[in-house]
Amino acid sequence: MARRCELTGKAVQVGHLVSHSNRKTKTRFLPNLCNVTLQSDALNKSVRLRITAHALRSVEHRGGLDAFLIKAGETDLSQTAKLLKREIHKKLAETETQAAA
């Protein structure tokens, strides 16, 4: 399983730890990944995702999973998140056509 956020695409970064004597030691900076179950209001189901703590705050700030996925670009999303986004778009379009009729 890749150490990558499913919503924002944030992954492992590589850098140096620099000591007082200016020696550089290679290190990996891992993202703060959390296993989270989020509720989709449009689909009326819960979804398990592995996202960073920062992404969780962003989801809450935007007003939920549906609002986050509608606004998010597809380049950073994982396969499961892309499928969810498409399902949400279909469901919202379906409810709009029913409301218009």
Side-chain angles (χ1 to χ4, degrees), residues 1 6 13 19 35 43 51-52 56 58-61 69-70 74-75 84 90-91 94-95 97:
M1 181 182 290
E6 293 190 56
Q13 293 183 327
S19 68
N35 293 318
L43 302 175
I51 62 174
T52 59
L56 182 59
S58 299
V59 167
E60 290 175 3
H61 178 75
L69 286 175
I70 288 169
E74 290 206 10
T75 56
L84 272 173
K90 284 180 187 176
K91 191 72 169 183
E94 182 180 297
T95 55
T97 57

Side-chain angles (χ1 to χ4, degrees):
M1 181 182 290
R3 294 184 186 271
R4 180 179 292 271
C5 176
E6 293 190 56
L7 295 181
T8 59
K10 183 172 277 266
V12 176
Q13 293 183 327
V14 179
H16 289 98
L17 290 177
V18 181
S19 68
H20 180 68
S21 64
N22 208 25
R23 280 193 173 177
K24 292 159 186 82
T25 308
K26 279 261 196 168
T27 188
R28 296 173 70 207
F29 297 102
L30 302 176
N32 185 10
L33 292 174
C34 308
N35 293 318
V36 179
T37 303
L38 296 172
Q39 184 71 29
S40 172
D41 296 330
L43 302 175
N44 290 328
K45 68 177 186 177
S46 57
V47 181
R48 289 190 54 135
L49 295 171
R50 192 166 186 226
I51 62 174
T52 59
H54 182 269
L56 182 59
R57 291 183 63 199
S58 299
V59 167
E60 290 175 3
H61 178 75
R62 290 231 181 117
L65 180 64
D66 298 342
F68 183 89
L69 286 175
I70 288 169
K71 203 167 187 181
E74 290 206 10
T75 56
D76 295 332
L77 297 176
S78 69
Q79 253 339 86
T80 57
K82 286 179 187 177
L83 290 173
L84 272 173
K85 182 175 180 170
R86 289 184 193 124
E87 286 180 28
I88 290 170
H89 272 293
K90 284 180 187 176
K91 191 72 169 183
L92 292 177
E94 182 180 297
T95 55
E96 286 177 9
T97 57
Q98 288 177 356

